[in-house]
Amino acid sequence: EPEVTQTPSHQVTQMGQEVILRCVPISNHLYFYWYRQILGQKVEFLVSFYNNEISEKSEIFDDQFSVERPDGSNFTLKIRSTKLEDSAMYFCASSQTWGGSNQPQHFGDGTRLSIL
Amino acid sequence: AQSVTQPDIHITVSEGASLELRCNYSYGATPYLFWYVQSPGQGLQLLLKYFSGDTLVQGIKGFEAEFKRSQSSFNLRKPSVHWSDAAEYFCAVAGRGANNLFFGTGTRLTVIP
């Protein structure tokens, strides 16, 4: 069964540095998402992306965050100047159609981001 | 706005016993409902989903869930738990027309021999 793959599995970064988290969504999927899960807390929506633009974002997704689909396969999340509170597990997801339809989102295994 | 409540933070059951994990949602209409499972160090795996039709939905690994509109609930059940079912379980809701999932805080399941 096709999978969403995320790299790296664990990223350790100094506070203030930029970090890029990478995802390869399922190949025939058109909608892409990032979520994060701070340790011990619920999974929270960050952003959704379709047709090379952001379709929806949460209040967490402020100006330090950006997303990009640089080629036909990768989907990246960039955090420009990391803060301690950005430490979390970041999940990428993809779906064939938009999230409010009857096609579920498939998740990757996540990237654990640790900010020192 | 949508929200999801999972009232049980941690549940312990014996292997072979039945299981029910509770989920209540808040949404103005009938949402799309999901259960995901997260094993330690792993991502979120979809167990089952409800979109419409039969309110009892079957999922993978022997799980089922029942949508009860009158109670705004979507409880997950399994008749006989296996040790490999130990994991964190998340209920999620998507509003029809929305583009994102809202997750509950999760229920951690421990299975004892």
Side-chain angles (χ1 to χ4, degrees), chain A residues 29 94-96 101-106, chain B residues 34 36 46 49 51:
Chain A
H29 286 187
S94 69
S95 61
Q96 275 190 321
S101 73
N102 63 350
Q103 293 297 322
Q105 296 176 29
H106 295 261
Chain B
F34 308 83
Y36 285 86
L46 180 69
K49 59 187 184 291
F51 293 129

Side-chain angles (χ1 to χ4, degrees), chain B residues 30-96:
Chain B
T30 301
Y32 295 115
L33 295 159
F34 308 83
W35 275 99
Y36 285 86
V37 61
Q38 183 182 32
S39 297
Q42 302 294 311
L44 297 163
Q45 181 182 23
L46 180 69
L47 282 177
L48 48 76
K49 59 187 184 291
Y50 171 79
F51 293 129
S52 64
D54 193 348
T55 56
L56 183 64
V57 294
Q58 302 297 320
I60 63 171
K61 304 184 180 186
F63 285 92
E64 67 178 25
E66 186 171 12
F67 169 58
K68 292 186 177 180
R69 185 192 308 274
S70 61
Q71 298 176 18
S72 297
S73 69
F74 188 57
N75 294 347
L76 181 72
R77 299 194 294 252
K78 186 169 183 177
S80 178
V81 169
H82 188 262
W83 64 266
S84 61
D85 294 325
E88 187 98 16
Y89 291 80
F90 292 94
C91 181
V93 61
R96 297 179 185 230

Side-chain angles (χ1 to χ4, degrees), chain A residues 45-111:
Chain A
F45 169 75
L46 293 178
V47 65
S48 58
F49 190 86
Y50 169 71
N51 199 26
N52 282 318
E53 60 183 30
I54 291 173
S55 51
E56 195 167 338
K57 61 182 180 179
S58 72
E59 59 188 23
I60 302 169
F61 194 86
D62 61 23
D63 290 344
Q64 70 162 343
F65 291 93
S66 62
V67 289
E68 191 179 31
R69 189 156 162 81
D71 53 43
S73 60
N74 290 284
F75 177 53
T76 62
L77 173 69
K78 182 191 289 186
I79 309 175
R80 192 174 69 240
S81 179
T82 50
K83 303 191 286 281
L84 292 175
E85 54 264 39
D86 294 326
S87 294
M89 180 76 92
Y90 288 81
F91 291 106
C92 175
S94 69
S95 61
Q96 275 190 321
T97 56
W98 51 280
S101 73
N102 63 350
Q103 293 297 322
Q105 296 176 29
H106 295 261
F107 285 77
D109 285 345
T111 293

